Amino acid sequence: MIYLLTLDVFTLTHFPIDHPTLLETICNRSQKQLYKTDEIFRQKNDRQTLSEYLSTMKGKEKRESKRFLKYVVVDGVEVDVRSLRKALNLDSEEGDASSSVNQRAIIETLCAKSPERLVAARELYERLFDANFLETLQSSLASDPVLAIIVTALVSHNRQEIMERTDWEDGSPESLVEEIEGMLVEPTPDNLQELAMTFLTHSLDQMKLIAQLYESTHHKNLEREITKKIPGLVGVALNSFTLDRAPFLARQIHDSISDPDTINRLIGGSDKPLLAEVKKVYESHFRADLMVDIANAYPTAPEYVAYVTSWTTAPGFPSTA
């Protein structure tokens, strides 16, 4: 494998950065292989990273392709930090004219992630930017107290303990189902906060059980009921507490498939095993081919579609490496 990746580095640095080269040396590799490629690349190119090198791609038409590939070649925690900086409009490299905070990107980046991943993102953010991670996020979500509560709980240091919880000291699953149904009948700001705390203080396994009991008791799907009764980002965030990562990503990709920032962040920032599961869930849930939907969403960007498709579907080479 090392010989192959060293050859990739030679190809990238001695030949033009063209479409076939990037498909072969980037998209046809696994995330683990790309981390090693980046290490070799830095050793041979005066510490310049592979991501920095991809920034030299020329041509306006390559802008989204470049952004996508830069997500692909960096570590997942760094992807989270980069996504948050862009969402907070603090990433000067992107050069976006808008001064607004992208709350959806913040929620998509933080929700349905493991506590370990979120702690690592918090520590990296504070180390790189000498800023309080939690205060920065709370400030960005000040206009929505419920979202602020959710984000605060997600990045807290006791999240791991909650995710391992198995007890039902604050009520049986059946009683919690009835409390949730009562709060969903007519959501108010107060009971939205109470609903958020109920979801936040139970593990994913507990929330899955609650969702199953809710459907068997009330003959309604909890995810769809939340989407109907609580539209917007609060509903998105609450639903993430009943879903594994792949179903959550499939839903967000489907709802924002024509937004390249979402595709770059959620597909470019995910590894191949997860994407295989996302593709499977997407096609089962929405009865549509994910790659066909992406191609239809970007009819004038065939190279971009090829990068996204190859990264999603091509295994690393060799597949066992």
Side-chain angles (χ1 to χ4, degrees):
M1 184 180 77
I2 296 300
Y3 172 78
L4 169 70
L5 301 182
T6 302
L7 184 60
D8 284 349
V9 171
F10 180 86
T11 302
L12 285 166
T13 52
H14 289 79
F15 295 92
I17 310 179
D18 59 16
H19 179 60
T21 297
L22 292 172
L23 279 175
E24 177 60 28
T25 61
I26 304 296
C27 294
N28 285 354
R29 304 293 180 255
S30 69
Q31 199 171 59
K32 180 180 178 181
Q33 289 165 346
L34 287 174
Y35 297 161
K36 189 64 181 178
T37 299
D38 183 60
E39 180 182 326
I40 297 169
F41 191 94
R42 285 185 279 112
Q43 291 171 355
K44 295 181 178 295
N45 292 277
D46 196 29
R47 309 306 297 170
Q48 183 185 37
T49 67
L50 187 53
S51 177
E52 290 168 343
Y53 183 65
L54 291 173
S55 297
T56 65
M57 290 172 61
K58 303 296 183 184
K60 184 178 180 180
E61 73 281 359
K62 296 185 182 296
R63 185 182 185 192
E64 286 308 330
S65 295
K66 179 168 65 176
R67 286 181 169 180
F68 178 78
L69 292 171
K70 288 173 67 178
Y71 275 102
V72 164
V73 300
V74 299
D75 175 75
V77 175
E78 186 179 342
V79 167
D80 294 343
V81 171
R82 178 178 290 182
S83 298
L84 289 169
R85 291 287 290 180
K86 189 174 189 300
L88 293 166
N89 201 46
L90 298 173
D91 188 354
S92 58
E93 180 183 340
E94 294 288 354
D96 291 332
S98 172
S99 60
S100 61
V101 170
N102 187 341
Q103 294 184 342
R104 173 173 287 277
I106 294 173
I107 295 302
E108 288 176 346
T109 300
L110 297 177
C111 286
K113 292 274 178 70
S114 70
E116 298 91 342
R117 173 82 169 252
L118 293 175
V119 168
R122 175 177 182 167
E123 291 174 349
L124 179 61
Y125 188 99
E126 293 182 345
R127 185 168 70 250
L128 290 177
F129 303 109
D130 193 27
N132 186 292
F133 183 65
L134 187 55
E135 289 179 2
T136 302
L137 290 174
Q138 287 174 328
S139 174
S140 72
L141 298 170
S143 62
D144 194 320
V146 179
L147 281 182
I149 288 172
I150 291 171
V151 166
T152 299
L154 281 174
V155 300
S156 66
H157 287 292
N158 71 332
R159 186 69 190 154
Q160 180 64 49
E161 181 180 339
I162 292 172
M163 290 299 283
E164 294 173 353
R165 182 180 175 186
T166 58
D167 68 85
W168 297 91
E169 292 181 357
D170 52 353
S172 68
E174 292 78 9
S175 65
L176 288 173
V177 164
E178 295 311 312
E179 289 178 16
I180 290 169
E181 171 65 4
M183 288 183 276
L184 286 175
V185 170
E186 189 174 346
T188 66
D190 285 343
N191 65 25
L192 277 181
Q193 291 192 27
E194 185 178 349
L195 187 64
M197 291 309 300
T198 298
F199 282 36
L200 284 162
T201 52
H202 290 85
S203 68
L204 176 60
D205 286 342
Q206 289 176 316
M207 289 307 306
K208 286 181 179 179
L209 176 59
I210 287 172
Q212 291 169 3
L213 287 173
Y214 183 92
E215 185 161 359
S216 63
T217 303
H218 295 283
H219 309 292
K220 295 182 288 188
N221 178 274
L222 181 57
E223 179 188 357
R224 288 196 288 269
E225 194 69 9
I226 289 172
T227 301
K228 180 172 70 174
K229 294 294 185 66
I230 312 173
L233 294 181
V234 171
V236 170
L238 290 175
N239 273 327
S240 75
F241 292 103
T242 67
L243 299 171
D244 288 312
R245 182 70 178 155
F248 177 74
L249 289 183
R251 165 62 70 181
Q252 301 318 305
I253 290 168
H254 177 270
D255 291 351
S256 302
I257 201 163
S258 60
D259 175 23
D261 281 344
T262 297
I263 299 303
N264 296 344
R265 182 173 61 251
L266 300 187
I267 294 183
S270 297
D271 60 20
K272 289 176 180 285
L274 174 58
L275 289 174
E277 185 64 23
V278 169
K279 186 174 184 296
K280 181 180 177 181
V281 171
Y282 184 100
E283 294 172 357
S284 171
H285 190 80
F286 298 109
R287 299 292 188 270
D289 188 298
L290 173 59
M291 308 331 301
V292 171
D293 283 357
I294 287 176
N296 290 338
Y298 303 94
T300 63
E303 285 194 4
Y304 176 71
V305 170
Y307 292 133
V308 175
T309 300
S310 183
W311 178 245
T312 304
T313 61
F317 179 83
S319 60
T320 57

